[in-house]
Amino acid sequence: DAENPELRDMTRRLWVSAALTIPTFLLAMSDLVPGQPVQALIPPRAGNLLQLALSAPVVLWGGWPFFERGWASVVSRHLNMFTLIALGTAAAFGFSVVATLAPGILPHGLHRDGAPQDHATLHAHAVYFEAAAVIVTLVLVGQVLELRARHATSSAIRALLGLAPKTA
């Protein structure tokens, strides 16, 4: 059986994305740990920058095929799952980038917990890097499973065709 280059590419994207998504997710959820030990070590701005660094390759490289397919669906006016994935992850990631790199341009109501901003808490915006990364990674899991199933089905059909008699 010939190796499927799309399956190989998606599998590589999945493993790299999963390796970066897990620490992003754990960092984002660390405020739920009693006593918040991570927040004592990493200030909110540094945590946001770390999440940005970890999730950017996942969303921009791992999710690139979904952005291409989403854009193609918009151009052809046949919206599909990839349109939703591209739009959702781009919105979550884009907002989070702005909240991390230019928090002053966001309205006060978007501040974490709706608290008023002062200079010390200027960078305490909620970010959604983990949501974008997890969505991309889960969709990659689905794509890899689908490509494997297609490959197995193709192999089974070829095997069945090989069982057919040469002459009837």
Side-chain angles (χ1 to χ4, degrees), residues 12 26 40 51 67 92 116 124 166:
R12 183 181 323 113
L26 293 175
Q51 287 184 61
F67 288 113
K166 301 300 178 206

Side-chain angles (χ1 to χ4, degrees), residues 57-91:
V58 175
V59 174
L60 301 176
W61 176 75
W64 186 252
F66 311 139
F67 288 113
E68 286 179 331
R69 292 174 186 175
W71 180 252
S73 71
V74 169
V75 169
S76 69
R77 294 187 178 160
H78 291 92
L79 306 180
N80 57 30
M81 173 185 79
F82 295 108
T83 314
L84 181 61
I85 293 164
L87 184 61
T89 56

Side-chain angles (χ1 to χ4, degrees), residues 128-143:
Y128 305 98
F129 292 119
E130 88 287 350
V134 166
I135 289 169
V136 167
T137 303
L138 290 176
V139 174
L140 283 167
V141 168
Q143 290 297 297

Side-chain angles (χ1 to χ4, degrees), residues 93-157:
F93 186 76
F95 172 82
S96 298
V97 168
V98 171
T100 299
L101 300 180
I105 68 172
L106 295 175
H108 292 291
L110 294 179
H111 192 262
R112 183 174 285 158
D113 300 327
Q117 293 182 10
D118 61 19
H119 184 68
T121 62
L122 183 62
H123 302 290
H125 289 285
V127 293
Y128 305 98
F129 292 119
E130 88 287 350
V134 166
I135 289 169
V136 167
T137 303
L138 290 176
V139 174
L140 283 167
V141 168
Q143 290 297 297
V144 167
L145 292 174
E146 179 184 343
L147 289 167
R148 283 184 182 171
R150 254 195 252 154
H151 182 73
T153 302
S154 299
S155 298
I157 290 172

